[in-house]
Amino acid sequence: MKRDIFDYFRKWKEKKNRKPLLLEGARQTGKTWCMETFGKECFKYWVKFDFDRQAELKNLFKITKEPARLIRELSLYSDVPIKSGETLVIFDEIQECEEALNSLKYFCEDMPELHIMSAGSLLGVTVRRKGMTVPVGKVDVVRLYPMTFREFLRVSDTRTYEYVDALDRIEHLPEIILNKLKTEYRRYQVCGGMPEPVKTLLENRGIEEVDKELQDILNLYELDFAKYADSREIPRINAIWNSLPAQLSKENRKFIYNVIRSGARSKDYEDSLLWLGAAGLIYRIFDISKPGLPLSAYKESNVFKVYGLDCGLIRKLSNLPASAILNPISNYTEFKGAMAENAVLQCLLPQLDGNMPYFWTSAGKAEVEFVLQLGLDVIPVEVKAETNISGNSLSVYTNKYNPPFRIRYSMKNLQYNGGLLSCPAPLASWILKFKTLLGK
């Protein structure tokens, strides 16, 4: 499976002012596989040092931070030569060795010609819990998200992917293409974007095996709660995590503490929400008072929605049968809309360069699911689960703020009319391409 992040890796490899790369992302998103595959494909040699499996490596970094000496010592643990320009050096599970994390600063300053990639499970959580410092300004930080539908389609239906990726104008798609997109998108919503469940589905090993892979990941996350969180926070983290289906099934998807348990207060659960966010397991999407630049200046910090990192995991956490997703006429009302929003968000995030979306409401009369900041443009995004596009929220927003254009994701065909880009939800992974085609 080709991951889009490889394009970033290649640019990083050729940068003149390259810094060591720090790869962030939730557990099981494929960080180690991506680094190893990049090493195999783009370097003469590659070597991985795993600070979890090779605990003895930690002592090397406690003794010295001097890059040349470290490389001499690390070479004793390598079967290949470590040569600048020829070898990719991978520091995996770097959160297990704070000294190794700090050493990236010195590699940046004293040995910038050496290609170093690093990653760690629950890096954000560990840094926060232990008070570790990340050498800001001395590393190139990039996040790996679960696979987008674009990445999924490239493997599941290569010809349809190539057709969509080659579009050079916005016009109705042939019905055969639209139908194939819908079919593959529903399969994507079943398995989500975590690589192992995707692999299982694409190998036609059956929904039962897909669900087992998803459950294994959910079990792993709950073990992480117990291993990496403070003991007093574990029950609260579990309670928030398991409340996600109920939070999303509400017609108004704003996060309500009483859904966790009766009488729950924000001050009791804020740290747990932060923990889940640092682990990359949830995204908090905040309300804005108005869509001004920058959007962060208009954030309403006490009003937010919570989405899961992956639509497949949310489906399994909710015990929603795969058949409900695969059948377009299944009636599971509000939760169908929530699943549609989660899948669209999952495909948008890797394209937004770290700019988290917001949402907008108007005195309880209108709500726009996402508001994006794309350069100097603020773009409202509406999400509909199928082909029913009734509702006036986008019109209320447009009349009030006159955006440069607006987007509605649904299962209707592609078209642009009167400033509205009506786009099939499977094409959310191509938002930047369509913005360019619109000349915006």
Side-chain angles (χ1 to χ4, degrees), residues 388-403:
N388 184 350
I389 56 173
S390 61
N392 65 346
S393 293
L394 205 53
S395 296
V396 172
Y397 180 101
T398 301
N399 291 336
K400 192 167 186 177
Y401 297 112
N402 191 31

Side-chain angles (χ1 to χ4, degrees), residues 38-92:
F38 182 62
K40 293 172 186 175
E41 292 181 354
C42 298
F43 288 84
K44 185 174 182 179
Y45 309 106
W46 68 276
V47 59
K48 182 179 74 173
F49 300 103
D50 188 321
F51 292 99
D52 186 32
R53 296 187 178 187
Q54 299 168 282
E56 66 274 17
L57 295 175
K58 300 175 187 178
N59 292 328
L60 302 181
F61 290 82
K62 291 178 180 178
I63 294 171
T64 183
K65 298 290 191 301
E66 204 276 310
R69 180 178 175 184
L70 282 170
I71 293 301
R72 286 197 300 272
E73 299 284 347
L74 289 171
S75 294
L76 300 176
Y77 295 84
S78 172
D79 293 329
V80 300
I82 301 178
K83 296 182 177 181
S84 295
E86 295 185 13
T87 307
L88 175 65
V89 176
I90 298 171
F91 291 158
D92 206 7

Side-chain angles (χ1 to χ4, degrees), residues 92-108:
D92 206 7
E93 303 295 353
I94 198 170
Q95 83 285 348
E96 296 294 333
C97 182
E98 183 174 3
E99 292 81 8
L101 183 62
N102 291 335
S103 76
L104 298 179
K105 170 185 176 182
Y106 304 103
F107 277 104
C108 175

